[in-house]
Amino acid sequence: MTTDNVTQEASPARPAGRQGLIKPLRTLLDTSGLIAIFLLLFVALAVLIPDFLTGRNMVGLLLSITLIGSLATTMMLVLALGEVDLSVASTVAFAGVVAAVVTSSTGSVFMGVIGGVVAGGAVGAFNGLVIAKFGINSLIATLAAMEFVRGLAYITSGGDAVMITVPAFFDLGSASFLGLTLPVWTMLACFVIFGVVLNMTSFGRNVLATGGNSEAAALAGVNVRRLKIIVFGLQGVVAGVVGVLLASRMGLGDPNTSMGLELAVISACVLGGVALSGGVATITGVVVGVLIMGCVQNAMGLLNVPTFYQYLVRGAILLLAVMFDRWKQTRRQRG
């Protein structure tokens, strides 16, 4: 083989190597830019709002984002698959009602927790099965599940909130360690666990590969159907855990709770750089997206912004997040 032939055969690999570095570099720049935006927002709020930076408010801020933060870690995986789950808020309510009913009827906190988590996991697995096996669009499937599961919550509770009669159940939401309550530690654990799953396991790589190109992933040996069922099942399990903790904090299982929570969770993920088209997600971005959502909500509360104006702000954030996602997709396609 001549030197010229060697050069000609080796040269195509050079652009491929450069292309291989472009995607991680862009991801790093996107995440760094998002962190910079959050830091600017945080400093601005600390300067402009007197009570924002107090220790008590910081602890309250962490507690206020536990619902969105915990759910965003698995919604990240769902969106990375190129799918969406609109039933997550209804699942939280249903799991809380089941936990309240089981705990009050058996007198066992353990059985109540298991009942709520299993109820959430069953809903998630059912969603995944319908989407993966029957090929139904996840938007439509989970929209139907959102109504169906909310109805189950009303039926299970008899149409009203279920009071919890076992005092020990309340400890789940109020127990603390190092000044942070169990819901906060649960959220932090979700950040760590699903960050590791996404970045350091073949499962996470398969999720991103499937979201990027499901046909290519299937040809590469990925069981796409099973993957979707597992991801939606995980979403359901986390929603079940969140529902149980929320019921403990409220002291009852309320079928009316968590209305609109799914939009806040999706907004946080998209703000954090998770592509709605699938294939792109980082746990760091999701954490920052959750913090941005939490800081804005917290600031509006401190400023006593009327509820109906808060709806406008949350809607604007969702719209801006989607527009930002669209802009990034266009930039990736051009690059």
Side-chain angles (χ1 to χ4, degrees):
M1 181 179 291
T2 65
T3 303
D4 291 341
N5 287 337
V6 172
T7 303
Q8 290 174 0
E9 290 179 10
S11 59
R14 293 173 186 170
R18 288 195 295 269
Q19 288 293 332
L21 292 174
I22 288 175
K23 186 174 180 180
L25 182 59
R26 283 180 175 172
T27 301
L28 177 62
L29 291 174
D30 287 343
T31 304
S32 301
L34 187 64
I35 293 174
I37 291 172
F38 165 68
L39 292 176
L40 288 173
L41 173 66
F42 189 86
V43 171
L45 294 177
V47 171
L48 298 175
I49 303 177
D51 296 330
F52 180 77
L53 206 53
T54 62
R56 181 177 181 180
N57 187 60
M58 289 296 98
V59 173
L61 173 60
L62 282 176
L63 186 59
S64 70
I65 64 174
T66 54
L67 294 180
I68 296 176
S70 299
L71 294 170
T73 56
T74 41
M75 185 66 79
M76 169 188 69
L77 298 179
V78 172
L79 294 176
L81 271 178
E83 308 290 351
V84 68
D85 186 358
L86 297 180
S87 68
V88 65
S90 297
T91 306
V92 168
F94 177 55
V97 167
V98 170
V101 169
V102 173
T103 300
S104 297
S105 61
T106 64
S108 170
V109 175
F110 176 77
M111 293 301 297
V113 172
I114 294 298
V117 174
V118 169
V123 172
F126 176 79
N127 285 337
L129 184 64
V130 170
I131 292 165
K133 188 169 183 178
F134 299 101
I136 298 176
N137 183 282
S138 60
L139 179 68
I140 303 302
T142 58
L143 182 62
M146 177 179 71
E147 300 292 340
F148 181 80
V149 175
R150 185 72 67 172
L152 283 178
Y154 282 114
I155 293 170
T156 305
S157 66
D160 201 0
V162 179
M163 302 302 296
I164 299 171
T165 58
V166 181
F169 188 84
F170 306 145
D171 294 338
L172 295 174
S174 60
S176 64
F177 177 69
L178 298 178
L180 300 178
T181 59
L182 182 58
V184 175
W185 285 112
T186 300
M187 177 186 68
L188 296 177
C190 286
F191 285 150
V192 173
I193 292 170
F194 291 106
V196 170
V197 167
L198 181 69
N199 296 315
M200 300 182 183
T201 67
S202 58
F203 179 84
R205 290 190 291 271
N206 289 341
V207 168
L208 293 174
T210 301
N213 190 325
S214 61
E215 293 182 0
L219 290 174
V222 177
N223 190 328
V224 174
R225 286 187 176 182
R226 185 175 64 184
L227 188 68
K228 289 184 178 181
I229 293 172
I230 293 174
V231 168
F232 275 93
L234 288 173
Q235 175 80 92
V237 168
V238 172
V241 172
V242 169
V244 170
L245 293 175
L246 181 60
S248 175
R249 289 168 57 187
M250 296 172 59
L252 50 82
D254 188 358
N256 292 302
T257 194
S258 305
M259 294 285 190
L261 179 62
E262 67 281 343
L263 297 182
V265 174
I266 294 172
S267 298
C269 288
V270 177
L271 270 176
V274 182
L276 290 172
S277 57
V280 177
T282 64
I283 189 62
T284 304
V286 169
V287 171
V288 176
V290 169
L291 289 173
I292 290 175
M293 292 286 294
C295 286
V296 171
Q297 186 67 43
N298 181 265
M300 290 192 294
L302 291 174
L303 293 173
N304 294 318
V305 176
T307 303
F308 39 89
Y309 286 113
Q310 294 187 26
Y311 281 113
L312 290 178
V313 173
R314 288 197 293 265
I317 290 175
L318 177 58
L319 179 60
L320 289 173
V322 173
M323 292 174 65
F324 183 57
D325 176 70
R326 179 60 182 169
W327 174 76
K328 288 192 298 182
Q329 288 184 41
T330 303
R331 192 182 66 171
R332 282 194 294 266
Q333 290 171 359
R334 289 177 179 174

